[in-house]
Each structure stands twice: as structure tokens, then as C-alpha cells.
Amino acid sequence: MSDSYFQMKDLSVGYHGNVLIHDICTEIKKGEILTLIGPNGSGKSTILKSITKQLTLIGGKVTIGEKNLKDLSYKELATQMAVVLTQRAKPELMTCYEVVAAGRYPYTGRLGILTREDEKKTQEALEIVHATEYAEKSFEAISDGQRQRILLARAICQEPEVLILDEPTSFLDIRYKLELLTILKNMAKEKQITVIMSLHEIDLAQKISDKILCVKGDTIFGYGEPEVIFKEDFIQKLYEIDNGHFDPLFGSVELAKAEGEAEVFVISSGGSGIPVYRNLQKAKIPFSAGILYTNDIDYHLAKHLAVNVIEEEPFEPVSDRAFERAKQMIRQCKKVINAGIVIGTTNRKMKELLVFAEEMGKLESYEK
């Protein structure tokens, strides 16, 4: 028997009976995080609205545990699923505590009177998101990052088994993005809450997610674990990137390299070349880099930003071929920057390369 908890099977979603995306299939376990990524307007929010019954499913099936989503009443669904939408909520004349306490309403009677247990759950939710200090403040008087934490606390208050979030990091600075995602990760792993969300920040999606659903076109573009999805060519195609590169090692998007004949040759190792590469790129100065071992962190960025990269196999002595090619590039460029290189047994020829550049009057050291 499958140990999956939340399933979408042959799902078709859209508006007014018109299918926008079809054949959506996923399986995730309790405590896993599924993140939807893809271009703006691709349908991520449509999928989330469909699995929360805000939109009617056009086809297929969603199951939570053994229960069919269609068979759940809205009150039953509220005890199993909590939703945090991307729209800025504006509850008027409510304190943060009252907003969070609203998460208990699926469990209260028609009058919505909170019991001591409900009040305890509200306080615990505030503590989980580190928001007790402004519990009595007006919700309208706090910052966007604080509001997002309050809305998350309200969702926690529902004691859901599934938490759905649509772009929860929108409007947040980097501190609050990291804080919010850390809370989600801890909730998923410690409380076994299944989290399904959309994110624009693919670098963060790569780091926090157990599964990735790529949305583009009228079918799912890709689905799988982060190490399968976050490949350079795949992300380039998903977002149609033609003015830069996605680097899966750094989890970053890089602007396009400066084109043309290399004016500078950069010698570095172990990350020392990275700030030099970026400064040359910003100045629109084309450069070459080498001789770099292919397992050196400098090599992975140089591939994206340098016009030419002279490479060598890891743990092998610098070959005569690579050495002569580097000398030729030094002859052709205007200057050589020594960004800082550690010379050992296998790369001792690099010392000769530095001497060669100095004799040509082209060697400079990088000033940090």
C-alpha cells in the first residue's frame, strides 16, 4: 500500500469549465513539502484554488488520506486543511490575537465562543511563529512580514493536516522569507503537516522542498525531487531564460556574461575568483579564467561568466596542453589578475604561469 497522504490524480483545472491545465498527477507523504514553481500566469494559483475547493475541479480526483476532496463539506475541510492566500488580508478593527483565534472557528459552536482550549491553541500558534509580542496590536498596524506570520499562526490554529500557501514570501524581505520558510519546514517535519505552496524564489524552493511541481503550458512541465528538477537546462527551458543562466550548484540566477575578446585573464582557486568574476561582469569586461579544476567552486561560476575557461581534471597535474593554452590567453589579454591561488603538488605549474604573466608586465593582484 502506498504511504502517500495527499494525491492529485489526472487533475484538470481551469475556469468556467474551460481547462487550463490537465493531467496533473502528484503523490506526497505526510510531513513533506511540495512546491509549485513556474512562470507568472502559468496556473500555479489555479491549481491551489482548485485543491482548496475555491474553484470546481473540471476533472480528476484529489484525495486527502483516504477521503475524496469532493466528498468533504467545507466545515470538514476546514478541520483538515488551512489556506494562506497571496492577497493582502485586511481584517478591520481586529487585533493580531483575534485574527489568529479565527483559526479556531471550525471547532467552535455557531456563536464562535472560544474555550480555554481554543485560547491555549491560539497562544501556542503565536509562539510558534514568534509573534506573541504584538498579539494585542491592530493587525493593520504591523508590517507585511509580521502580518504573514499572523496569517500563518491563524492557519496553525486550525490544526490542519494539510497547509496550502500561495506565494507566502511575497512582500517579505529576505529575513522574513527565511524565517517564514524555517517555520514551515519545522512544522512539516515536527508536526507531520503536509505543506503545498507556490514560490517565485526558485533558490529557496530548491532548498526547502521534498517535491517540485513545475507548471507551464497546458500540462505539467515536470515533477520530482529537487535534485531531478533543478538542472541548468531544465530551468532554462521552464522559464525560457535567454538572458542569463541558472546555476544549480549555487541555486542562483546569473546575468549574461560580457561578450567579446577577453581583456583580462583571472587566476584563482577555491572561491577567490568569484568576486573578481562578478566585478568584471558588472563592468562589462570580457574575461578568461583558468587553469581551474572542474571540482573547484570557481569553475562552476566561471562557466557562466567567463568567455573562455581553461579546465583540468580534478587531482591531476596541470597538463602541458592546458598550460600552453593559458600562456596563449595571457599573451592576448591586456592584464592578468591573481585573485588568490593556493599552489600545491598537482598544480605547481600555476606558479610558472604567474611568473610568465609578471615577466610580460601584465600581472596584478586583486585588491579586496
Side-chain angles (χ1 to χ4, degrees):
M1 179 179 286
S2 172
D3 58 353
S4 66
Y5 177 71
F6 190 99
Q7 292 182 313
M8 304 180 214
K9 186 174 181 181
D10 302 324
L11 213 61
S12 293
V13 301
Y15 295 86
H16 310 299
N18 298 315
V19 176
L20 178 65
I21 309 168
H22 59 86
D23 295 327
I24 306 168
C25 296
T26 67
E27 285 191 12
I28 49 178
K29 302 174 184 176
K30 261 186 170 294
E32 284 192 326
I33 297 176
L34 169 68
T35 303
L36 281 60
I37 65 171
N40 285 339
S42 58
K44 300 184 294 295
S45 295
T46 304
I47 294 174
L48 296 181
K49 288 177 181 178
S50 299
I51 64 176
T52 56
K53 297 187 76 168
Q54 295 178 56
L55 291 175
T56 302
L57 291 179
I58 298 175
K61 182 180 180 182
V62 175
T63 56
I64 305 174
E66 301 296 325
K67 299 176 181 178
N68 190 324
L69 179 68
K70 288 184 177 180
D71 297 333
L72 293 173
S73 68
Y74 284 101
K75 183 170 183 179
E76 289 173 323
L77 186 61
T79 63
Q80 289 198 287
M81 179 187 289
V83 182
V84 180
L85 298 176
T86 189
Q87 293 93 343
R88 298 193 186 199
K90 295 182 179 180
E92 296 181 2
L93 303 177
M94 291 181 70
T95 66
C96 293
Y97 182 92
E98 289 168 336
V99 172
V100 176
R104 295 305 301 166
Y105 289 166
Y107 303 96
T108 64
R110 290 185 178 181
L111 296 177
I113 298 173
L114 299 177
T115 66
R116 287 188 178 180
E117 181 65 17
D118 293 324
E119 292 173 349
K120 179 183 176 183
K121 298 288 185 183
T122 301
Q123 187 63 32
E124 287 175 352
L126 283 164
E127 290 171 0
I128 289 172
V129 301
H130 312 298
T132 54
E133 67 210 62
Y134 42 86
E136 298 308 318
K137 290 185 178 180
S138 167
F139 182 80
E140 295 180 324
I142 59 177
S143 71
D144 286 332
Q146 292 166 341
R147 287 184 187 183
Q148 203 72 324
R149 280 194 281 171
I150 290 298
L151 294 176
L152 180 57
R154 183 181 66 181
I156 294 169
C157 232
Q158 286 182 232
E159 296 186 290
E161 296 187 27
V162 181
L163 179 58
I164 311 289
L165 307 103
D166 191 8
E167 299 176 15
T169 54
S170 295
F171 318 119
L172 304 186
D173 63 31
I174 188 61
R175 173 194 167 187
Y176 286 119
K177 287 181 195 289
L178 295 175
E179 186 174 84
L180 185 70
L181 293 178
T182 298
I183 292 168
L184 289 175
K185 181 183 69 174
N186 291 341
M187 283 175 54
K189 303 314 172 190
E190 294 172 8
K191 296 182 177 292
Q192 287 295 286
I193 295 173
T194 301
V195 177
I196 302 173
M197 64 180 168
S198 61
L199 282 181
H200 280 304
E201 301 88 347
I202 58 175
D203 56 330
L204 296 177
Q206 182 182 14
K207 297 171 178 66
I208 193 175
S209 309
D210 296 295
K211 298 285 176 58
I212 300 289
L213 185 69
C214 304
V215 185
K216 180 187 179 185
D218 60 1
T219 59
I220 293 304
F221 193 78
Y223 172 65
E225 297 176 349
E227 53 267 32
V228 174
I229 297 298
F230 288 97
K231 304 287 187 182
E232 182 179 347
D233 290 346
F234 186 87
I235 295 298
Q236 299 274 124
K237 291 176 183 176
L238 174 62
Y239 288 97
E240 299 181 10
I241 300 172
D242 58 7
N243 56 351
H245 301 274
F246 172 75
D247 189 317
L249 179 67
F250 291 95
S252 62
V253 177
E254 301 294 340
L255 297 174
K257 69 180 72 174
E259 299 290 353
E261 291 293 323
E263 299 177 22
V264 178
F265 187 82
V266 182
I267 296 174
S268 66
S269 68
S272 64
I274 291 175
V276 181
Y277 302 161
R278 295 201 188 283
N279 285 335
L280 290 170
Q281 181 206 38
K282 283 185 281 188
K284 297 185 178 181
I285 299 173
F287 67 93
S288 297
I291 302 169
L292 291 168
Y293 288 105
T294 56
N295 64 344
D296 193 311
I297 194 170
D298 280 350
Y299 171 76
H300 293 278
L301 187 58
K303 281 195 306 178
H304 298 301
L305 302 187
V307 175
N308 303 292
V309 182
I310 304 173
E311 63 186 56
E312 190 57 83
E313 291 299 313
F315 313 114
E316 294 293 330
V318 172
S319 66
D320 290 339
R321 180 181 178 183
F323 184 72
E324 290 303 320
R325 189 177 170 212
K327 287 175 68 176
Q328 182 61 29
M329 287 190 182
I330 289 173
R331 292 188 187 99
Q332 294 172 349
C333 73
K334 296 177 181 178
K335 68 178 178 179
V336 178
I337 297 177
N338 177 9
I341 182 170
V342 177
I343 297 176
T345 303
T346 56
N347 71 338
R348 56 175 175 252
K349 274 196 171 184
M350 295 303 296
K351 187 173 183 180
E352 296 178 42
L353 203 62
L354 290 171
V355 171
F356 176 76
E358 189 170 19
E359 288 175 347
M360 293 195 70
K362 296 184 177 183
L363 185 64
E364 297 181 7
S365 294
Y366 175 62
E367 297 291 336
K368 294 184 179 181

